[in-house]
Amino acid sequence: MSFTSIIQSAAIKSLSALYGQEFFKKDFQINETKPEFEGDYTIVLFALVKALKKSPEVLGHELGKLLLNNYPELFSSYNVIKGFLNLQIADEQLTAILLQHYNDENYGKQPANQKRVMVEYSSPNTNKPLHLGHLRNIFLGWSVAEILKANGSEVIKSAVVNDRGIHICKSMIAWQQFADGATPDSVKEKGDHFVGDYYVKFNDEYKKEVEELIKSGSTKEQAEKEAPIMKKTQQMLLDWEQGNPGVIELWKTMNSWVYKGFDETYKRIGSDFDHTFYESNTYLLGKDFVREGLEKNILFKKEDGSVWIDLSAENLDEKLVLRGDGTSVYITQDIGLAIQKFEEYHLDKSIYVIGDEQLYHMKVLKEIIRKLGFPFADEIFHLSYGMVELTTGKMKSREGTVVDADDIVEEMVATAEKHTKELGKVNDFSADELRELYEILGLGAMKFYLLRVDPKKRMVFNPEESIDFHGFTGPFVQYTYARIQSILRKVDSEGSVIGDETSDISKLLPLERQLILFLEKYAGTVSDAADEMNPSLIANYVFNLAKLYNSFYAEHSVANAENTEKKNLRLRLSVMTAHIIKSALQLLGIKVPARM
RNA sequence: GGCCCCGUAGCUCAGUGGAUAGAGCAACAGCCUUCUAAGCUGUGGGUCGAACGUUCGAGUCGUUCCGGGGUCACCA
C-alpha cells in the first residue's frame, strides 16, 4: 500500500476518534509536501474546517498530535502552516521499505486480476511503408499493452492489416503498368518501400491523365472519373472481389513483399503481435448485424436501398452503414470485427489505438453496438492519440512530406553511434556489442521522445533538429542506469556484498530520504498509467527518478561512503533505482545498457 | 455552420481544485586527482489565449469570446 493511502486511512481513523463522526477519502486531500516546507506529505485541512467548525490551525495540531501518537513508527514529526498539516515520515519506516523492496525486480507489478484485454494497434495499409505517425501508434499500443500486463491483465496484442480495397489495387495497377517485372529482390529494395513507390507512381500517372483529359475538354469531375488508370483500378477491385485468379495471385505476391518489409521494421523496433486480423478475411463481417439491426428497427433503409443509423439523439447525426448496392463501408466490417473480438476471445475490454481523426467514427461504432444490444459496448475503448505533425505542416504520403519510419530509426541509430564515438567510453567493445549499443540508444531516444508526451495531444516534430540525447530523453535515463551498473561492478570486483544488517542505520540525509520516497511511488505510477492508458506518466516518472539519482550521485559516494552502514544503504538505493529504471523503461519498450 | 480536441517561459512539454506555476532544450556562470561530465550546481526568462462566474482557494470547474486543429463522404 502506498504512503498516500496509508496516511489517508490513518487520518480517517484519527479524525473519527477525535471528533466522533465518520470521515471518508473524499473529505480531505493528501499531497506531497512542497520542497520549500518541512515534511513529506501534507494533509489539506480547509475542506474539514466547515464541517468541524474549528480553525485550520487548531484542527491541524489536534490531528497532527494524535497521528504522531498513534503511529509513532510511521511519522517522526509534523508542522502546521495555515491550512496545511505537513507530516514527516520516520527514517525507520523509509529504510524498512528500502530493505523490503530493493532487490525485488517485480516491484510495482500487480498479481493477475483475471481480466482479458485486447489492444489493437499499428493497423497499416499494405500499399506504403510505415512513417513516423505509425511509430507513435505502435510504441503507444505496445507500451499500453505492457503497462496493462504489469497491472495484472492478460493482454492480447493485435493488428488489423488493411490489405484490400481500392488503394491496394492502385499499387498493383501501377506495378503492372510500369514495373516491367521488377521485384524487391531484383532492385534490392525493401518490399514495403518498393510497393510504396508504385503507389506514388499511380498518383503521378493519374494526375497526368486527369490533366490531359481536362485539356481536351473534360470537366475536372469527369476527368477524375474517366482517367483510364482509375477505371482499370476499379475494374481490378471488382475482379479481386470475384476471385479472379490472376489478380489474386498478384495481390498475394505484392502483399507478401510488403509483409516482409513490415516484419523487418517490426523486428528492429521490437514490436510484436499475438494475433493479426486481415481485412480481406473480415470485410464481409457485419452485414448480418446490419440485417439484424433493420429487423430491430435500429437501422433504417433509404429509398435507394442504403442503410443508415440515426444517431441525432446522441449528437452524432445520421451515418451510413451499408451502401445502396449492398456492399460494405468501413464501419460495416468494424461492427463485425468488434463483435467477433469479444466473442472469440472472451474479452473484458477491447482497446483500439487509433488517431484522433477517427474519434467520430469510433463513437458511432460504439453507439451502434450498444443499440444492437451487446453488453460489451461500454468496454470498447478508443485510445485516441494526436497526429504527429512536422514544423512544415501535416505529413502527407502523396505529397512526399512524410518522415519514413525506417529512415528515422536509421538516423537515430547513427546519431547514437556518433555520440558514442565522440565520448569514447566503450572503445573495448566488439563490433557486435557496439552495434547492439547503438540500437539500444537510438531506439531508446526515439521511443522516449514519442512516449513522453500525453498521447491525446498532437505533437510537433522538427526534422531539421535531430532528437536530443541530453536532458529529458531516453539516453539520459539509460545513462543513469549504466552509471549504477558501473558502481555495482566496482563494488563487486572489490569482493564486497550488501550486508544484511538492519540495526544502527544512521539518520538519512535529505537526498537519501527523497530517493526512497520517490522510489516508493513507482507502484502507484504504474497503476495510474494503466488506469489512464498513458505511458507518458511512466516516462515522466522515470526521468525524474534518474534526475534525482544523478543529484544524489554527484553529492554522495556509494562505494566510498563514510561507513559500512551508509555504503550498504546507498548500495540498496542504487540497486532499487536500477531495477525500477529497467522495469519502467521496459514498459516503454526501451532496453538498458550495462555500459555506454 | 454543427459536434469534438488543444492554447502554460523563445522552443518542446509537465502540472489529476490547494501554499510563491515546474522540467528539458536554447542562453549565461561555475564543477572532472574521487563510483561514467550523455552528468551536477546556479542565473535570467510567465498578465497560464481573453473576460466574467462558481469556490475559503482556479492554470485546473462553468459560461462567452479569440486563435489553432480534427471531423461531419454510397473515401479508407
Side-chain angles (χ1 to χ4, degrees):
Chain A
M1 207 164 49
S2 70
F3 275 136
T4 319
S5 36
I6 290 170
I7 296 170
Q8 194 121 43
S9 51
I12 286 175
K13 275 185 206 153
S14 299
L15 280 168
S16 304
L18 268 174
Y19 305 114
Q21 51 176 289
E22 254 193 288
F23 290 89
F24 303 94
K25 271 190 182 180
K26 60 173 171 47
D27 292 332
F28 56 93
Q29 267 180 55
I30 299 197
N31 297 336
E32 285 155 45
T33 306
K34 295 229 160 195
E36 56 266 37
F37 301 98
E38 196 184 320
D40 301 317
Y41 287 90
T42 297
I43 299 180
V44 184
L45 303 163
F46 296 107
L48 297 164
V49 167
K50 210 180 267 178
L52 293 171
K53 299 202 168 66
K54 282 180 183 267
S55 81
E57 272 85 4
V58 172
L59 190 56
H61 283 287
E62 285 178 354
L63 181 58
K65 242 177 246 171
L66 190 64
L67 281 172
L68 226 61
N69 209 3
N70 288 354
Y71 304 90
E73 73 295 341
L74 185 56
F75 303 113
S76 58
S77 71
Y78 80 89
N79 64 80
V80 180
I81 299 170
K82 294 198 278 181
F84 302 96
L85 168 59
N86 301 318
L87 295 158
Q88 180 141 19
I89 307 288
D91 282 1
E92 292 73 16
Q93 185 71 29
L94 294 176
T95 45
I97 294 238
L98 182 62
L99 205 60
Q100 189 187 343
H101 296 297
Y102 81 95
N103 211 11
D104 177 6
E105 294 193 38
N106 289 318
Y107 178 67
K109 295 191 177 164
Q110 301 301 316
N113 62 12
Q114 317 300 327
K115 297 269 184 215
R116 188 185 300 216
V117 183
M118 179 172 282
V119 182
E120 176 198 309
Y121 62 98
S122 188
S123 308
N125 292 344
T126 57
N127 62 344
K128 47 182 186 278
L130 305 174
H131 58 67
L132 187 57
H134 290 111
L135 290 182
R136 187 179 197 190
N137 179 307
I138 292 167
F139 296 155
L140 191 56
W142 194 93
S143 178
V144 165
E146 293 300 316
I147 290 168
L148 293 173
K149 278 187 201 170
N151 276 274
S153 293
E154 181 192 342
V155 180
I156 302 158
K157 296 175 181 169
S158 75
V160 176
V161 179
N162 298 303
D163 63 345
R164 53 133 248 137
I166 193 83
H167 52 296
I168 306 300
C169 294
K170 287 177 180 175
S171 324
M172 288 161 65
I173 285 286
W175 184 84
Q176 277 187 334
Q177 215 157 312
F178 302 109
D180 198 20
T183 68
D185 281 342
S186 76
V187 298
K188 300 212 172 1
E189 195 182 3
K190 212 161 150 275
D192 48 343
H193 290 258
F194 179 84
V195 172
D197 290 347
Y198 288 96
Y199 183 66
V200 172
K201 274 208 177 79
F202 171 91
N203 284 301
D204 293 346
E205 177 65 18
Y206 177 53
K207 215 185 280 174
K208 217 192 296 169
E209 290 183 1
V210 168
E211 271 165 26
E212 274 166 23
L213 283 171
I214 291 175
K215 242 182 256 168
S216 56
S218 303
T219 65
K220 196 181 170 216
E221 249 181 35
Q222 270 178 327
E224 282 172 356
K225 268 189 196 159
E226 298 297 319
I229 196 166
M230 183 58 90
K231 298 208 83 163
K232 278 189 227 164
T233 305
Q234 279 157 349
Q235 182 56 47
M236 180 178 266
L237 183 61
L238 288 175
D239 290 344
W240 183 91
E241 292 196 0
Q242 278 152 23
N244 176 308
V247 172
I248 297 287
E249 185 60 33
L250 175 63
W251 171 74
K252 280 188 178 164
T253 304
M254 289 186 73
N255 273 348
S256 75
W257 293 339
V258 174
Y259 296 147
K260 207 176 160 205
F262 282 173
D263 285 346
E264 237 176 82
T265 304
Y266 285 143
K267 195 173 173 208
R268 186 170 194 191
I269 64 176
S271 179
D272 58 349
F273 303 98
D274 300 307
H275 191 262
T276 303
F277 297 97
Y278 295 91
E279 195 190 307
S280 52
N281 293 329
T282 62
Y283 80 106
L284 295 173
L285 294 172
K287 286 193 188 183
D288 290 346
F289 295 108
V290 170
R291 206 171 302 124
E292 196 184 317
L294 278 169
E295 283 163 16
K296 290 186 181 168
N297 282 326
I298 296 158
L299 309 175
F300 67 93
K301 207 173 241 186
K302 290 198 175 174
E303 281 168 17
D304 58 8
S306 58
V307 181
W308 297 71
I309 186 160
D310 183 2
L311 296 172
S312 43
E314 286 80 13
N315 241 334
L316 295 168
D317 300 319
E318 290 183 352
K319 177 92 178 170
L320 175 89
V321 294
L322 199 67
R323 289 196 188 101
D325 62 5
T327 60
S328 300
V329 286
Y330 222 152
I331 201 152
T332 324
Q333 56 180 302
D334 284 346
I335 296 168
L337 185 54
I339 294 165
Q340 187 189 315
K341 280 179 175 178
F342 275 96
E343 294 187 337
E344 217 172 273
Y345 289 91
H346 309 288
L347 304 178
D348 295 291
K349 191 181 246 181
S350 182
I351 297 167
Y352 293 71
V353 182
I354 304 179
D356 60 12
E357 57 194 354
Q358 293 198 38
L359 273 163
Y360 172 76
H361 178 87
M362 291 302 295
K363 267 189 195 168
V364 170
L365 173 64
K366 202 170 159 163
E367 209 49 50
I368 291 173
I369 290 182
R370 188 198 314 280
K371 284 189 186 282
L372 283 170
F374 291 100
F376 47 71
D378 285 332
E379 303 307 326
I380 290 176
F381 189 86
H382 176 196
L383 175 50
S384 93
Y385 63 93
M387 298 287 105
V388 181
E389 289 174 21
L390 305 178
T391 32
T392 49
K394 288 190 69 174
M395 287 197 279
K396 285 178 184 156
S397 22
R398 272 184 219 171
E399 291 168 25
T401 56
V402 290
V403 174
D404 179 78
D406 294 316
D407 289 351
I408 185 84
V409 168
E410 190 57 40
E411 200 183 307
M412 295 307 298
V413 172
T415 309
E417 177 173 358
K418 198 183 115 217
H419 285 307
T420 304
K421 283 185 172 158
E422 277 167 9
L423 291 166
K425 294 179 184 180
V426 288
N427 292 332
D428 57 319
F429 271 28
S430 71
D432 281 350
E433 286 171 326
L434 284 173
R435 201 171 313 120
E436 193 192 348
L437 179 62
Y438 303 153
E439 294 282 329
I440 290 175
L441 296 177
L443 282 166
M446 180 86 238
K447 291 184 181 182
F448 199 91
Y449 179 83
L450 288 173
L451 290 175
R452 69 181 198 184
V453 300
D454 188 330
K456 287 193 292 294
K457 299 198 176 177
R458 61 199 168 91
M459 58 187 294
V460 179
F461 174 75
N462 186 350
E464 300 302 315
E465 300 169 14
S466 63
I467 294 171
D468 221 314
F469 279 60
H470 304 268
F472 187 13
T473 67
F476 172 90
V477 181
Q478 290 169 319
Y479 174 68
T480 310
Y481 180 86
R483 276 180 139 183
I484 296 175
Q485 297 313 304
S486 178
I487 295 175
L488 298 180
R489 277 193 301 271
K490 180 185 158 88
V491 169
D492 192 46
S493 71
E494 289 167 353
S496 327
V497 285
I498 301 180
D500 61 357
E501 93 299 331
T502 55
S503 60
D504 198 31
I505 292 173
S506 44
K507 195 169 157 26
L508 294 172
L509 296 166
L511 281 165
E512 295 166 346
R513 290 183 62 81
Q514 278 178 52
L515 249 182
I516 301 177
L517 283 161
F518 203 84
L519 290 166
E520 192 274 334
K521 289 195 304 185
Y522 179 58
T525 305
V526 174
S527 149
D528 289 347
D531 292 346
E532 295 179 30
M533 302 185 203
N534 183 354
S536 79
L537 298 182
I538 304 283
N540 276 282
Y541 171 87
V542 76
F543 167 66
N544 284 312
L545 173 62
K547 206 157 57 113
L548 188 55
Y549 185 87
N550 280 323
S551 298
F552 161 82
Y553 177 97
E555 192 71 26
H556 305 297
S557 179
V558 177
N560 300 312
E562 303 87 288
N563 55 53
T564 319
E565 283 75 25
K566 277 293 183 199
K567 183 174 171 181
N568 284 331
L569 174 81
R570 290 180 193 161
L571 278 171
R572 287 199 184 94
L573 271 173
S574 302
V575 168
M576 188 163 175
T577 302
H579 281 156
I580 291 184
I581 286 178
K582 186 178 181 182
S583 158
L585 287 183
Q586 188 275 325
L587 295 180
L588 304 177
I590 298 172
K591 292 180 181 160
V592 285
R595 289 174 56 194
M596 63 185 275

